[in-house]
Amino acid sequence: DGLDWDKTTQYLAQCRSYDGAFGHTPHAESHGVGSTYCIVSSLFLMGKLHQVERVEELTQWLLSRHKSGFQGRPNKPADTCYSFWIGSSLRLLDALHMVDARMCAQYTMNCQDTDKGGFGKHMDAHSDILHSYMSICGLSLLRFPGIAMMHPALGLSMRAAQNIRNVAPLPELRETIFSELSMHEE
C-alpha cells in the first residue's frame, strides 16, 4: 500500500561509502551523479534528509569535488554536468555558499560552444544537450544573472516545482517539496 519510507531510508543509508558520500549500491564507490545526488534528493523529498549521519563528512566530500568546476569522483577532471549534480547536493545540504561561485560559473562559461551554442563537458568538448541542460541548471544554482531559479531536488524551475506542489496528491509531499528548501533560501 505505498512506499515503505523507513525501509527506503534504511536502504539508502546502506549505500553510504567509507568516504562519506554514496555509491549506487551498498559497498560501492561513491559517485556524485547517480548515487550521491539521487540519495540526497530522495531523502530531501521524503523529508528524511535530517537523518543523514555524519553530514559534515558528506558535505566535505562534496566540497572536495570543487576544482575550477566540479568533478564527480576524486582524481577525475571537472565536468560541467557536475555543477548541477554536486551543486544541487550542496544546495540541499545548505553548503553551496561554501564554494567559489564565481570560479564555478567561469568554468561553465568557458565550456560554452561559441560556434554552435550550448555547453560541452569541458573546454575543448563539443556541446551536447545533456551538458547544456546541466550547465544551465548549475548556473541557476549559482544565481547566474538571467537564469530562472531551479529546485535542486527536482531538477526543474521553481515555477514548475510550484505547479507540482499545487497538484501533489499527498499533503506531506506538497509541504516537503518546499519546506526545508525555504529554510535555506539566502
Side-chain angles (χ1 to χ4, degrees):
D1 292 310
L3 178 64
D4 186 328
W5 300 76
D6 292 331
K7 282 187 180 178
T8 300
T9 302
Q10 289 169 8
Y11 175 76
L12 295 176
Q14 290 172 15
C15 294
R16 191 82 180 258
S17 186
Y18 69 92
D19 58 12
F22 295 94
H24 292 296
T25 59
H27 314 295
E29 174 187 19
S30 294
H31 198 284
V33 179
S35 50
T36 299
Y37 166 75
C38 290
I39 288 174
V40 168
S41 293
S42 294
L43 292 170
F44 174 86
L45 291 169
M46 293 188 306
K48 306 279 188 180
L49 189 56
H50 65 280
Q51 293 181 9
V52 172
E53 295 178 3
R54 305 180 342 262
V55 71
E56 299 82 14
E57 189 178 9
L58 171 59
T59 301
Q60 186 55 47
W61 187 90
L62 291 162
L63 289 170
S64 68
R65 304 286 65 79
H66 174 37
K67 305 304 174 196
S68 52
F70 288 102
Q71 60 182 188
R73 293 178 288 164
N75 304 312
K76 298 290 184 180
D79 181 326
T80 56
C81 68
Y82 296 114
S83 65
F84 168 73
W85 303 116
I86 302 294
S88 290
S89 298
L90 286 168
R91 175 71 174 85
L92 293 169
L93 294 167
D94 194 28
L96 187 57
H97 66 279
M98 298 171 78
V99 302
D100 185 334
R102 184 178 297 218
M103 181 190 299
C104 289
Q106 188 61 54
Y107 175 81
T108 300
M109 295 306 292
N110 287 342
C111 297
Q112 187 174 196
D113 187 327
T114 56
D115 294 328
K116 296 188 297 185
F119 294 85
K121 66 189 304 178
H122 31 75
M123 285 190 246
D124 297 325
H126 294 285
S127 59
D128 62 72
I129 58 172
L130 179 124
H131 289 89
S132 294
Y133 176 74
M134 295 296 157
S135 293
I136 292 167
C137 288
L139 290 169
S140 170
L141 290 165
L142 297 170
R143 299 176 190 237
F144 195 82
I147 299 178
M149 287 299 300
M150 63 159 298
H151 191 293
L154 298 174
L156 43 85
S157 72
M158 290 298 275
R159 181 177 162 209
Q162 183 66 42
N163 289 335
I164 290 171
R165 179 184 186 193
N166 294 337
V167 299
L170 303 171
E172 61 271 14
L173 180 58
R174 281 196 295 270
E175 293 313 308
T176 299
I177 289 174
F178 286 91
S179 63
E180 290 183 46
L181 189 62
S182 64
M183 293 188 312
H184 303 302
E185 283 299 313
E186 298 166 10

